[in-house]
Amino acid sequence: MADTVLRFSQIFLKLGRRIIHNDVRSLSSTLFKYEDLKIELADEKSLKPKPDPDQLVFGKEFSDHMLQVKWSSDSGWKKPVICPVQPLSIHPAAKCLHYAIELFEGMKAYRGTDNKIRIFRPEENMKRMNYSARRATLPEFDGDELIKCMKKLISVDREWVPYSQTSTLYIRPTIIGTEASLGVAFSHDALLYVLIGPVGPYYPTGMKPVSLLADPLKVRAWPGGAGSSKMGSNYGPTIHTLQEAIKMDCQQVLWLFGDDHQVTEVGTMNIFMFWINQQGEKELITPPLEHGTILPGITRKSLIELAQQWGEFKVSEGVFNMKDVTTALNENRLLEMFGAGTACIVSPVERILYQGENLAIPTMVEGAPITNRFMKELTDIQFGVTSNHQWVTSIDDGI
């Protein structure tokens, strides 16, 4: 049954993407450009004091300025504007408030030891953002132009980028459908905006392993759905299950799918398992993207490419389920398991609560060498310790 669902979902995804792409591309014919960017600076008296980098809480602090670009189906994209952070003025019937016609991205800027400010693989976020826009019937845009506009925004508020090797500047590009209409249809008006703000380390006292609730009755995404797009409708419904996990002394949810309890994602992150497979090979495996249930994470992509560059073990994108996990665990073949995402980079797993049984995952038994190696190599690239890496770009380049 699950195989039949997957086959039909793949056909649906291919057809749906073509239809959505053709419909929305015609609505995006007028693209905004960096050269048209207007800058309206906040009054000096209204500028906020910068918070202590050691006291930052994720998502609570915002810089003084934001980026906004309006769009309409009649005239396309308007000129981009950097302006003081301000409340949005939208009608109570705006489609984003009723039908979740919206999407977002998550990125970071890093201040290196050389005081240069870099962003990490922004072109990958732009590809994913346009993919989500097609799925949400929101307008597409030129990713290179938005990157240049965001670089300028960060440059304007550059003192908000923490002088720290642990804290960073979070970047939240968003598009919302703003048409005032209760009809269930694509939005004729939209707003792209970008907020930025400093965030502290995901692990303030050092990297700590997490415990997961794996409940096969709770499903995050399914074939033919929108699980591979980064939109709020994939996140809000998961909070209830997260609260249940916390009541059971778990920090996050391991999302399963299908009658065979396939492992898909962990919390809001991609999942990786480092194990000795049935053929006796050391292998790093993560679920595949082809079924449309997995978010194509930029950190996920980067870890796969790093591991392939190492060339020390097999690297695979493949389906694995809880039977594979428990069998490998019982046969001492499971070595490490971790989540991967922008916020934490990597998050080691030490326990899974599955069907009433606590499975002790041995990630930390040998000190999580693979997990920690990924953490160091990626942060060295992001903070410029690894010089001139192609995955990072300075905010001063190209503007």
Side-chain angles (χ1 to χ4, degrees):
M1 179 65 178
D3 290 341
T4 302
V5 171
L6 289 176
R7 284 198 297 272
F8 275 107
S9 70
Q10 288 166 358
I11 295 170
F12 169 82
L13 282 171
K14 290 178 182 177
L15 178 61
R17 286 168 186 161
R18 285 199 297 270
I19 294 171
I20 292 169
H21 180 69
N22 290 337
D23 284 347
V24 180
R25 194 166 77 175
S26 63
L27 302 178
S28 308
S29 56
T30 304
L31 299 173
F32 64 85
K33 296 181 179 180
Y34 169 72
E35 64 186 33
D36 296 324
L37 177 66
K38 297 180 180 179
I39 300 178
E40 302 170 2
L41 294 178
D43 183 271
E44 192 170 337
K45 293 180 181 179
S46 67
L47 299 180
K48 299 179 293 185
K50 311 302 183 291
D52 182 346
D54 296 327
Q55 302 298 320
L56 290 169
V57 178
F58 182 84
K60 295 291 187 180
E61 300 284 350
F62 300 98
S63 73
D64 295 304
H65 297 89
M66 65 188 295
L67 173 72
Q68 293 193 58
V69 196
K70 294 181 179 180
W71 176 89
S72 72
S73 59
D74 291 334
S75 55
W77 288 104
K78 306 298 189 288
K79 293 181 179 180
V81 178
I82 289 175
C83 60
V85 172
Q86 55 195 270
L88 301 179
S89 178
I90 59 175
H91 195 279
K95 288 181 182 292
C96 61
L97 302 178
H98 297 268
Y99 308 121
I101 299 179
E102 60 81 52
L103 60 93
F104 66 95
E105 271 298 325
M107 309 165 61
K108 283 185 177 180
Y110 309 80
R111 188 183 294 274
T113 53
D114 56 2
N115 205 34
K116 284 187 177 181
I117 299 171
R118 299 171 175 86
I119 49 179
F120 181 73
R121 308 194 80 169
E123 69 286 348
E124 296 296 334
N125 291 92
M126 298 299 96
K127 290 177 187 175
R128 188 172 66 182
M129 193 170 175
N130 268 318
Y131 172 85
S132 298
R134 289 193 293 273
R135 189 66 177 86
T137 62
L138 286 166
E140 295 177 59
F141 55 91
D142 186 322
D144 290 338
E145 297 299 317
L146 180 54
I147 289 171
K148 286 188 279 189
C149 290
M150 290 191 294
K151 283 183 174 183
K152 190 63 177 181
L153 172 63
I154 298 166
S155 181
V156 168
D157 279 349
R158 65 190 311 129
E159 288 305 305
W160 281 89
V161 185
Y163 288 82
S164 168
Q165 291 298 291
T166 55
S167 298
T168 56
L169 185 83
Y170 189 74
I171 309 165
R172 174 53 67 90
T174 306
I175 306 180
I176 58 175
T178 55
E179 181 189 358
S181 170
L182 297 180
V184 183
F186 79 87
S187 181
H188 286 273
D189 301 294
L191 173 67
L192 185 159
Y193 65 91
V194 182
L195 289 171
I196 59 176
V199 294
Y202 194 83
Y203 304 105
T205 58
M207 189 166 65
K208 293 183 178 179
V210 296
S211 298
L212 311 177
L213 170 65
D215 183 348
L217 297 180
K218 311 294 184 181
V219 179
R220 188 198 79 90
W222 49 91
S228 57
S229 299
K230 198 167 180 69
M231 47 184 65
S233 54
N234 286 331
Y235 291 78
T238 69
I239 297 172
H240 180 266
T241 307
L242 174 60
Q243 292 303 108
E244 290 185 349
I246 292 171
K247 291 177 183 177
M248 298 181 187
D249 198 29
C250 297
Q251 287 82 45
Q252 270 297 349
V253 179
L254 181 63
W255 298 103
L256 307 179
F257 174 76
D259 296 337
D260 57 348
H261 303 175
Q262 294 172 22
V263 175
T264 62
E265 293 195 348
V266 52
T268 59
M269 300 176 286
N270 296 120
I271 184 77
F272 285 82
M273 181 169 68
F274 185 58
W275 67 333
I276 299 171
N277 62 27
Q278 293 91 334
Q279 290 73 44
E281 307 164 298
K282 282 190 175 180
E283 178 184 33
L284 181 72
I285 187 169
T286 190
L289 303 178
E290 61 196 42
H291 301 145
T293 59
I294 307 296
L295 185 73
I298 284 72
T299 304
R300 173 189 183 276
K301 178 182 176 70
S302 302
L303 298 187
I304 290 172
E305 292 175 1
L306 277 178
Q308 289 171 337
Q309 291 170 18
W310 296 345
E312 299 172 13
F313 45 77
K314 185 176 181 180
V315 181
S316 301
E317 297 178 68
V319 173
F320 63 98
N321 57 35
M322 285 305 296
K323 183 178 180 181
D324 296 320
V325 172
T326 55
T327 300
L329 190 60
N330 292 333
E331 296 176 356
N332 296 317
R333 293 188 289 108
L334 203 166
L335 305 176
E336 298 181 42
M337 183 177 284
F338 55 89
T342 299
C344 67
I345 301 179
V346 289
S347 178
V349 175
E350 69 172 353
R351 179 173 64 90
I352 301 174
L353 177 56
Y354 173 63
Q355 295 187 329
E357 181 181 0
N358 278 303
L359 306 177
I361 308 301
T363 304
M364 305 305 293
V365 170
E366 300 294 334
I370 297 297
T371 306
N372 278 295
R373 184 178 175 186
F374 276 133
M375 173 69 88
K376 184 179 188 313
E377 291 213 12
L378 214 52
T379 53
D380 281 353
I381 292 170
Q382 292 165 340
F383 282 96
V385 177
T386 301
S387 60
N388 301 318
H389 200 283
Q390 62 182 357
W391 288 351
V392 290
T393 176
S394 167
I395 64 165
D396 298 316
D397 291 342
I399 64 170

